[in-house]
Amino acid sequence: MARTREIQKAPVSQETIDRCLAKAVAEGDIVSLRFLFISYSPLRAESTEDINADKYAYLVPGSDGGPRFEDALALAKTPEIQAHVRAQLEKKGPPQLPYGLVMRLADNAVQLGKFKAAAQAYELLRIRARMQQTFLEEADAALDANDIPRAVQGYRVAVGLDYDYAAFPEPMPAAPNYQSRAQILHAEYPRRPEDAVALQPPDRHVAIALGYLLLNSQIAARLEDRPLDVRLAFLVELVNQLDPEWDAFAERYKEAGRLVAAIGARLQKEASQRGQAAGLAEEIKALQQEEDPADIPRLLLGRDIPDGEWWQYVKELAYEHPASVLFVVRQFVNKDLEIIMPRYASNSPVIEALGLALDEA
């Protein structure tokens, strides 16, 4: 009869346990922290999993973890937390993570910009909604003090703590979904130019932009009573914090705009000779005659999508530059081709503030 061979391993030292916990806490890594307590955790004495195995190298800190690690290690070494951890690693059934370590992990995650990890940690502590409200109140106070960068950061943290209670199989942090929201923004072909998002009056344009970028209409509504210049400054800071490559997009946007404007100017001249104004459709028609109109979305995105439809360019733009889709419109070139192109209201302060306006000739 075959016998089941028991696998023996040396007990995991308290020092190793402390350091592994400290690494997860310092990095705001709630997934690793929870893993360290599960039934087959390599830290458990009865587990056959070995913390020294290569596959668990990501759980073990190096020789120099930095100040955040040292702070977490000091916390992990406190007698109360060590006793709690030992009890949970010997416990059968669902473990209870130590409150102090989870709280410190959540705060570290916020500082590191890992808002979804922070949301999970605060949710475990049943204080996520309260923390979200606290960040919003601090952000509003910063806005009152005209500290726009701090206010924007506070709002970003607050929306980053949003939770999706409809997620399957269990509630999860709400993920940014700019690609889907951008499709909704452009779902209907504008019957009139002024129906397009990009051609809304400044006050309306800023409101739509904040609602779209903040991903939470209720939180965005907190800004509605602020003066337009304050909301515009908030929008500019928000765009730059969300998209470090915004300036590169702005240059491509202006290049695409110059391509359209050059054709428009020529058509305007030809139309004035005929005694009538040139329309957008005529501009595009002329573009088709002299240029490839598909170059316009390519310029906007900075690369080609082979056989790409307009909505594919919108999705890619929303992924790489979330705010970009607020400044383009859909345009039919012919029955077989529809593109997106730059379009904005003349003298728009939104366009000027975000560096998208074409230079004066």
Side-chain angles (χ1 to χ4, degrees):
M1 176 182 289
R3 294 183 177 179
T4 302
R5 188 178 63 179
E6 293 186 1
I7 300 176
Q8 299 293 329
K9 70 172 187 179
V12 182
S13 69
Q14 186 65 52
E15 178 68 14
T16 298
I17 293 173
D18 293 342
R19 291 176 64 80
C20 289
L21 295 174
K23 182 175 187 294
V25 171
E27 296 178 353
D29 187 348
I30 187 66
V31 175
S32 291
L33 185 68
R34 297 181 72 171
F35 178 77
L36 291 171
F37 286 90
I38 63 176
S39 58
Y40 55 91
S41 165
L43 299 186
R44 288 182 179 267
E46 75 275 12
S47 171
T48 58
E49 296 296 309
D50 186 354
I51 190 65
N52 296 310
D54 290 344
K55 64 181 179 180
Y56 294 131
Y58 72 96
L59 295 172
V60 182
S63 56
D64 183 12
R68 189 175 282 114
F69 171 78
E70 296 299 332
D71 175 71
L73 183 60
L75 180 62
K77 285 185 173 181
T78 56
E80 296 82 6
I81 288 184
Q82 284 186 333
H84 181 94
V85 168
R86 282 196 299 271
Q88 298 308 309
L89 291 178
E90 294 170 359
K91 177 182 177 182
K92 306 294 184 184
Q96 293 180 325
L97 273 57
Y99 174 91
L101 292 184
V102 177
M103 189 67 188
R104 188 67 57 87
L105 182 150
D107 293 342
N108 285 337
V110 168
Q111 294 174 17
L112 293 168
K114 298 179 177 179
F115 303 142
K116 300 312 170 192
Q120 285 183 284
Y122 288 138
E123 182 75 6
L124 281 174
L125 299 173
R126 303 292 188 268
I127 60 171
R128 185 191 58 79
R130 178 150 55 88
M131 292 304 297
Q132 193 174 36
Q133 184 64 27
T134 298
F135 281 113
L136 283 173
E137 291 172 357
E138 291 179 356
D140 286 337
L143 209 51
D144 292 338
N146 201 33
D147 187 346
I148 301 295
R150 185 161 157 258
V152 169
Q153 180 64 14
Y155 270 77
R156 287 187 61 207
V157 174
V159 297
L161 297 182
D162 266 347
Y163 230 67
D164 182 4
Y165 290 102
F168 180 83
E170 62 180 18
M172 295 291 290
N177 57 349
Y178 291 118
Q179 291 162 286
S180 299
R181 296 169 69 88
Q183 301 279 25
I184 295 172
L185 276 180
H186 293 278
E188 291 189 18
Y189 190 91
R191 296 183 178 181
R192 304 171 301 166
E194 56 267 34
D195 291 336
V197 172
L199 296 174
Q200 296 299 302
D203 191 75
R204 176 66 178 154
H205 199 184
V206 170
I208 294 173
L210 291 176
Y212 161 75
L213 291 172
L214 286 175
L215 301 165
N216 182 316
S217 58
Q218 288 186 321
I219 288 179
R222 297 171 69 99
L223 298 165
E224 287 182 355
D225 293 335
R226 302 279 179 175
L228 177 59
D229 61 333
V230 174
R231 287 187 293 139
L232 181 54
F234 185 99
L235 174 62
V236 172
E237 179 65 24
L238 178 59
V239 169
N240 286 310
Q241 286 194 18
L242 289 173
D243 183 4
E245 300 298 323
W246 176 257
D247 288 345
F249 167 76
E251 290 304 314
R252 296 202 304 272
Y253 183 90
K254 289 190 282 190
E255 186 178 357
R258 281 191 287 270
L259 178 61
V260 177
I263 299 301
R266 180 175 60 76
L267 278 174
Q268 193 69 36
K269 182 179 179 181
E270 293 175 0
S272 64
Q273 292 173 348
R274 297 195 306 270
Q276 59 183 13
L280 182 58
E282 293 174 287
E283 296 177 25
I284 295 300
K285 184 178 180 181
L287 269 175
Q288 191 176 17
Q289 293 170 350
E290 300 188 3
E291 304 283 351
D292 182 357
D295 282 341
I296 297 173
R298 289 173 190 148
L299 280 172
L300 288 169
L301 183 60
R303 57 182 169 83
D304 182 35
I305 300 177
D307 300 320
E309 301 285 347
W310 69 268
W311 56 268
Q312 291 174 292
Y313 279 97
V314 166
K315 284 186 68 174
E316 293 296 311
L317 276 171
Y319 176 77
E320 297 186 12
H321 308 285
S324 63
V325 298
L326 297 162
F327 306 100
V328 299
V329 298
R330 292 170 54 183
Q331 178 63 53
F332 271 114
V333 176
N334 57 45
K335 65 181 180 62
D336 297 320
L337 179 61
E338 182 179 356
I339 64 171
I340 56 170
M341 60 184 294
R343 207 68 176 178
Y344 55 81
S346 61
N347 301 320
S348 166
V350 184
I351 293 294
E352 293 283 348
L354 285 167
L356 299 174
L358 291 176
D359 299 330
E360 294 291 337

